[in-house]
Amino acid sequence: MKKIILVTLVFISCTHLAQAQDLKFGVKGGLNFAQINVDDGEFGPDTESKTGYHIGLVSQFSLLGMFAVQPELLYSAQGAKDFDLDYLNIPILFKYKVAGIVSIEAGPQFGFLVNDNIADDFTNPELENFDLSGAIGAGVEFSDFFAQIRYNFGLSDSVEGVDSKNNIFQVSVGYYIF
């Protein structure tokens, strides 16, 4: 819980420090197409993909014209078919604006497990509370509206002692409030 509060304070501080820059703040939501890739045969075929959602806050501040930083605070339903894992995710994306309205984005994502619901088929796995991912994607902006596609690839394990990575393809839409 202390980590979540600390990261939230950093998120808020970043947006306040950037007020002298071109700052946008908004909301976003969308679909997750999530899967846990498991190299170990321990979990079997029930880790096939599932559809979830994400919703949250987004800010963006420009750096040197074509570059921007976009921190977000998202609630995200991830995991797999019989392995529901909900995270509070904090992606920090670095954006390069290609043609005015189009951008390419990449950066780290820090996730904190806030809820889990695991089918009875699994033998009480020890879940990791922290999830580190990389994120790559693209976006378009039309005035105050935006749309993004993103792939988040797990860098840390979801289950203790098992090679198990969260992988999520996301489709998002959002609106900049100011």
Side-chain angles (χ1 to χ4, degrees):
M1 189 61 166
K2 290 179 186 177
K3 288 180 185 177
I4 293 172
I5 292 170
L6 177 64
V7 173
T8 303
L9 290 174
V10 169
F11 179 81
I12 292 168
S13 297
C14 285
T15 59
H16 285 298
L17 289 173
Q19 285 181 356
Q21 304 293 325
D22 179 22
L23 173 67
K24 295 180 180 181
F25 183 79
V27 294
K28 71 180 278 187
L31 293 176
N32 289 343
F33 302 98
Q35 182 175 6
I36 297 179
N37 285 350
V38 180
D39 287 339
D40 188 339
E42 181 176 335
F43 286 138
D46 292 334
T47 57
E48 57 189 72
S49 65
K50 74 170 226 168
T51 303
Y53 66 92
H54 61 277
I55 188 166
L57 304 172
V58 59
S59 65
Q60 174 182 283
F61 56 96
S62 295
L63 305 170
L64 304 173
M66 297 187 318
F67 296 98
V69 176
Q70 179 175 305
E72 302 175 0
L73 181 62
L74 304 173
Y75 185 87
S76 183
Q78 300 174 192
K81 184 178 176 184
D82 295 326
F83 208 77
D84 294 329
L85 302 175
D86 296 342
Y87 288 88
L88 182 62
N89 285 330
I90 302 165
I92 301 173
L93 302 172
F94 300 93
K95 297 175 74 169
Y96 175 69
K97 297 183 180 183
V98 180
I101 64 168
V102 177
S103 64
I104 298 169
E105 48 198 47
Q109 175 173 280
F110 308 97
F112 301 92
L113 184 65
V114 293
N115 188 32
D116 64 78
N117 185 12
I118 300 170
D120 294 335
D121 298 349
F122 297 98
T123 56
N124 296 327
E126 287 291 322
L127 300 174
E128 296 288 351
N129 291 322
F130 178 75
D131 183 60
L132 177 63
S133 300
I136 57 171
V140 294
E141 292 182 21
F142 300 101
S143 185
D144 292 334
F145 295 94
F146 63 92
Q148 297 171 322
I149 58 171
R150 185 178 304 161
Y151 181 69
N152 298 314
F153 51 95
L155 298 172
S156 63
D157 292 331
S158 309
V159 179
E160 188 176 310
V162 177
D163 188 8
S164 52
K165 311 275 193 277
N166 277 307
N167 291 297
I168 302 100
F169 179 76
Q170 294 181 318
V171 178
S172 308
V173 294
Y175 179 74
Y176 290 117
I177 299 167
F178 62 87

